[in-house]
């Protein structure tokens, strides 16, 4: 099967690697494969891409997305943050390569506004005069940090298309190597699938923000939120997943879906005269959480922070990825640098992404990004040396069992601000640290 994939996101490269490994001929509009220095730095995925490229099942064709060198059975659009009008020219060019009487499939896989798939299909039929290209929605549930596994062992296959559409069989055929133990396919209309995708992330975000609200209440009442979390999760109607309070969630796919859902709900809320709905509150709470560690730092030193030094333990938005998209580290970094604080960063994978982000800020504003206040370190211990606080932002396994007493002895001020609640307040205190987390430890 000949497949063309648009975009250079994690979803695009993951689908390219996995589908080419099953014998498909996959073409990407790219000059080169991703490597460990970029934001797609998952080694198993990089190794698969390299092997499929070597076997010539994965081809790279530099150039614009609308240059089609052959007839493709499937065009996968994995680009993000585009309107229907921005997507349509490529779709129209794609349809122009399909002979009359033949059929190909165009599949959207990233989060999109509800109605996008149907709009594109209507525009295409109007422009071409027939349905030689069938549009469907095939949302990916690819997770950063475990991209290949989450695609090839998903356990769920959601397809949004008209009943009896030929594209449903094509997607089933493509995914059959990863869908053998049971038929995990769920078929619904495109609008239903679009809303399902963004609704899932909306539900998960709501759980996280609710826990952050509870953590704030716990801190004011002198209650350890960790005990509360365990008690809540023990209820089988609730469970433990996504019940972890923290300093804010990120990730491009996660935040994009929330934006789409937020736009849909805000339109409804406005028409009904509602000032602010649930999801608006969820997003507002999350943005406030990203600033929480800075507020703790500010209050602890009574606003006297200029010239001080802070260690960042982690800057990726989650462990096992080099992506910093939507990470709380970006909000914290901007706040600290603007107040004259030096930031010493250590992250096992994402420091290159942070450097590139700082360079882009300079390019966009035309002003210095204060990058000279950022020091990149080779270890957590080095990052913590002679600092006034350690801020744990990403819960990499490497950070869990650090020698906290040794860390405290090397700091100017032994303040540990734990944004992911991975440490015991008792053990941190025994190590000589002033410990404050999200709803546990010292209330700051």
């Amino acid at each position: 099967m000949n497949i063309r994939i648009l975009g250079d996101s994690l979803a695009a490269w993951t689908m390219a690697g996995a589908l080419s490994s099953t014998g498909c001929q996959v073409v990407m509009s790219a000059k080169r494969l991703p490597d460990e220095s970029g934001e797609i730095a998952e080694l198993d995925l990089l190794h698969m891409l390299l092997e499929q490229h070597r076997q010539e099942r994965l081809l790279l064709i530099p150039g614009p997305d609308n240059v089609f060198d052959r007839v493709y059975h499937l065009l996968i659009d994995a680009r993000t943050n585009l309107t229907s009008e921005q997507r349509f020219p490529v779709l129209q060019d794609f349809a122009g390569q399909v002979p009359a009487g033949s059929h190909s499939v165009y599949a959207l896989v990233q989060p999109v506004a509800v109605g996008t798939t149907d709009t594109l299909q209507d525009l295409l039929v109007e422009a071409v005069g027939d349905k030689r290209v069938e549009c469907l929605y095939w949302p990916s549930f690819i997770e950063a940090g475990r991209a290949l596994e989450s695609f090839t062992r998903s356990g769920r296959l959601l397809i949004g298309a008209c009943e009896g559409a030929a594209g449903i069989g094509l997607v089933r055929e493509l995914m059959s190597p990863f869908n053998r133990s049971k038929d995990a396919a769920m078929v619904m209309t495109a609008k239903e699938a679009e809303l399902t995708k963004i609704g899932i992330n909306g539900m998960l975000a709501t759980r996280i923000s609710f826990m952050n609200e509870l953590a704030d209440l716990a801190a004011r009442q002198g209650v350890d939120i960790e005990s509360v979390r365990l008690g809540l999760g023990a209820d089988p109607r609730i469970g433990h997943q996504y019940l972890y309070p923290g300093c804010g969630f990120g990730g491009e796919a996660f935040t994009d879906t929330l934006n789409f859902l937020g736009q849909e709900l805000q339109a409804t809320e406005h028409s009904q005269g509602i000032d602010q709905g649930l999801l608006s509150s969820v997003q507002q709470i999350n943005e406030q959480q990203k600033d929480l560690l800075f507020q703790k730092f500010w209050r602890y030193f009574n606003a006297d922070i200029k010239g001080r030094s802070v260690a960042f333990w982690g800057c990726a938005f989650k462990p096992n990825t080099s992506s910093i998209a939507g990470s709380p580290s970006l909000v914290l970094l901007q706040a600290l640098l603007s107040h004259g604080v030096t930031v010493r960063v250590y992250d096992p994978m994402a420091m290159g992404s942070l450097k590139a982000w700082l360079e882009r800020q300079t390019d966009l504003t035309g002003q210095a990004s204060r990058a000279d206040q950022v020091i990149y370190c080779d270890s957590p211990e080095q990052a913590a040396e002679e600092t006034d606080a350690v801020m744990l932002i990403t819960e990499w396994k490497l950070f869990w069992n650090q020698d906290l007493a040794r860390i405290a002895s090397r700091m100017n001020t032994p303040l540990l601000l734990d944004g992911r609640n991975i440490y015991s307040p008792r053990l941190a205190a025994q190590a000589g640290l002033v410990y404050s987390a999200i709803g546990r430890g010292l209330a700051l």
Side-chain angles (χ1 to χ4, degrees):
M1 188 179 299
N2 291 329
I3 301 172
R4 180 74 173 269
I5 300 179
L6 307 180
D8 60 355
S9 62
L10 177 64
W13 286 108
T14 301
M15 296 181 81
L19 295 177
S20 59
S21 74
T22 67
C24 293
Q25 179 76 76
V26 178
V27 175
M28 295 282 289
S29 301
K31 294 181 179 179
R32 62 183 66 89
L33 295 172
D35 57 38
E36 294 180 41
S37 63
E39 292 206 6
I40 301 172
E42 301 187 26
L43 292 182
D44 57 345
L45 174 58
L46 296 182
H47 290 159
M48 175 173 281
L49 291 170
L50 187 62
E51 176 61 19
Q52 297 310 311
H53 186 247
R54 188 182 68 82
Q55 296 283 350
E56 298 186 347
R57 287 189 290 268
L58 173 59
L59 303 179
L60 307 182
I61 299 181
D65 288 333
N66 63 341
V67 176
F68 297 98
D69 60 327
R70 66 193 77 184
V71 176
Y72 294 94
H73 301 97
L74 173 65
L75 174 63
I76 296 175
D77 192 341
R79 298 172 298 169
T80 58
N81 296 319
L82 296 177
T83 64
S84 299
E85 291 73 20
Q86 291 169 321
R87 295 182 191 276
F88 180 66
V90 173
L91 174 57
Q92 188 173 15
D93 288 338
F94 173 62
Q97 298 297 312
V98 180
S102 300
H103 292 87
S104 292
V105 174
Y106 170 84
L108 285 160
V109 298
Q110 295 285 49
V112 296
V114 176
T116 298
T117 307
D118 288 345
T119 297
L120 287 169
Q121 185 73 80
D122 292 342
L123 288 171
L124 187 61
V125 171
E126 181 180 346
V128 178
D130 59 38
K131 203 173 180 181
R132 68 185 66 182
V133 172
E134 181 182 295
C135 299
L136 58 78
Y137 187 59
W138 173 20
S140 80
F141 295 96
I142 293 168
E143 300 175 29
R146 50 184 298 271
L148 265 182
E149 181 186 4
S150 61
F151 180 72
T152 61
R153 301 182 182 181
S154 172
R156 56 182 164 174
L157 175 58
L158 186 59
I159 308 170
C162 299
E163 185 176 351
I168 296 172
L170 184 143
V171 173
R172 284 178 180 270
E173 180 184 348
L174 274 178
M175 294 301 292
S176 59
F178 315 120
N179 191 32
R180 293 192 68 190
S181 58
K182 64 175 182 177
D183 185 3
M186 295 179 62
V187 179
M188 55 185 69
T189 68
K191 280 187 175 181
E192 290 168 344
E194 290 162 347
L195 185 54
T196 298
K197 172 58 180 175
I198 59 179
I200 288 170
N201 281 1
M203 180 69 73
L204 299 180
T206 301
R207 286 170 67 98
I208 296 170
S209 287
F210 177 66
M211 285 303 299
N212 284 330
E213 286 281 87
L214 280 185
D216 179 61
L217 177 60
R220 288 187 275 113
Q221 296 292 337
V223 173
D224 189 338
I225 191 62
E226 179 65 8
S227 297
V228 176
R229 183 188 70 80
L230 293 171
L232 285 171
D235 189 318
R237 297 169 299 177
I238 298 173
H240 290 94
Q241 287 191 318
Y242 286 82
L243 282 189
Y244 295 92
C247 58
F249 56 78
E252 184 177 29
F254 204 57
T255 52
D256 282 351
T257 53
L258 293 182
N259 288 336
F260 286 127
L261 184 56
Q263 292 167 11
E264 297 284 345
L265 293 177
Q266 284 172 12
T268 302
E269 292 158 10
H270 180 73
S271 66
Q272 296 177 352
I274 300 172
D275 290 333
Q276 181 170 318
L278 174 62
L279 195 68
S280 298
S281 298
V282 166
Q283 292 175 298
Q284 182 178 331
I285 291 167
N286 187 56
E287 291 308 306
Q288 292 171 346
Q289 287 299 113
K290 293 180 180 181
D291 190 51
L292 183 58
L293 297 188
F294 174 78
Q295 295 297 329
K296 288 175 176 284
F297 181 68
W298 175 274
R299 289 192 289 265
Y300 184 82
F301 288 105
N302 295 314
D304 180 22
I305 64 174
K306 185 176 181 179
R308 294 190 184 275
S309 178
V310 168
F312 275 15
W313 279 5
C315 59
F317 83 89
K318 65 181 288 189
N320 302 317
T321 178
S322 57
S323 174
I324 59 171
S327 171
S329 64
L330 305 183
V331 175
L332 290 168
L333 187 64
Q334 288 176 314
L336 292 165
L337 296 183
S338 68
H339 286 84
V341 177
T342 298
V343 180
R344 299 169 62 85
V345 182
Y346 174 74
D347 187 289
M349 291 176 63
M351 291 196 293
S353 300
L354 187 65
K355 290 179 184 178
W357 181 83
L358 280 170
E359 291 172 359
R360 289 196 298 271
Q361 302 312 299
T362 302
D363 293 339
L364 289 172
T365 62
Q367 300 175 347
S369 62
R370 301 187 179 92
D372 57 335
Q373 293 171 232
V374 181
I375 299 170
Y376 301 95
C377 302
D378 296 326
S379 68
E381 297 87 352
Q382 184 185 22
E385 286 180 3
E386 299 183 356
T387 58
D388 296 291
V390 168
M391 294 184 178
L392 186 136
I393 300 169
T394 315
E395 64 274 31
W396 289 94
K397 297 301 183 188
L398 173 66
F399 299 140
W400 284 71
N401 289 315
Q402 290 289 313
D403 186 339
L404 295 183
R406 187 180 179 198
I407 296 294
S409 69
R410 294 185 173 192
M411 298 174 68
N412 292 336
T413 307
L415 174 63
L416 174 56
L417 302 176
D418 181 358
R420 300 300 173 187
N421 287 6
I422 71 172
Y423 298 115
S424 159
R426 177 180 61 82
L427 294 179
Q430 288 177 357
L433 288 161
V434 178
Y435 179 78
S436 182
I438 313 299
R440 61 190 326 223
L442 181 68
L444 291 176

